[in-house]
Amino acid sequence: MLSLFPALLSYNLAVPLVFRLVIGVIFISYGYANITKNKENKIAALARNNFVSPEKWLSALAIVEILGGVLLIAGLYVQATVLVLAMILIFGIIAKRKNPENLTLSTETMFLLLLITFSLLFLGAGLYAVDLPL
């Protein structure tokens, strides 16, 4: 079947760019929120789940989220970065199922973010990225 808008198909490398920018900004904002907003509540939630030294875990999570967001925006190591961020989202979905009050994002939102990260795994970095396909 013929495409309805064939001219739009020439922009196929722009979609991963948009996905990278959106996911990067989201992870930077949530990583920053882990450091600044309601830090005590998040540490208490980690302590309730039997994490040893929850302050260090929260700081490590924030650093990984911020670094992952920056790497995605720059388009550097995109596939490795989205694998790490996808694992964070999977653990977040599991944690949300166990204790819904601990996380602010809904399960559906985390699932959509997970789908976008998996799509970046297969689509690649797209336009304006340091990563280039071999």
Side-chain angles (χ1 to χ4, degrees):
M1 182 174 189
L2 296 175
S3 177
L4 290 177
F5 304 107
L8 293 178
L9 296 177
S10 62
Y11 297 106
N12 62 347
L13 290 177
V15 172
L17 170 68
V18 173
F19 282 175
R20 279 190 304 119
L21 295 177
V22 168
I23 293 292
V25 168
I26 288 172
F27 271 100
I28 288 172
S29 68
Y30 279 107
Y32 181 72
N34 279 340
I35 296 173
T36 58
K37 298 177 184 174
N38 293 331
K39 186 175 181 178
E40 293 78 21
N41 292 341
K42 293 174 184 177
I43 290 172
L46 288 174
R48 280 194 303 270
N49 289 319
N50 300 324
F51 277 84
V52 178
S53 66
E55 299 89 6
K56 291 181 183 178
W57 279 102
L58 187 63
S59 298
L61 177 66
I63 290 170
V64 169
E65 287 176 343
I66 292 171
L67 181 63
V70 169
L71 287 174
L72 282 180
I73 289 173
L76 186 62
Y77 302 118
V78 171
Q79 290 177 319
T81 303
V82 295
L83 280 176
V84 172
L85 296 178
M87 289 189 324
I88 290 173
L89 287 167
I90 290 170
F91 287 128
I93 290 170
I94 293 169
K96 182 73 172 182
R97 292 283 186 190
K98 288 183 179 180
N99 297 320
E101 68 278 352
N102 287 346
L103 297 172
T104 57
L105 283 177
S106 68
T107 306
E108 294 82 12
T109 304
M110 286 190 282
F111 187 71
L112 286 173
L113 292 174
L114 181 65
L115 287 178
I116 293 173
T117 57
F118 277 139
S119 69
L120 279 173
L121 180 66
F122 295 106
L123 290 174
L127 292 175
Y128 305 115
V130 178
D131 281 353
L132 295 175
L134 296 176

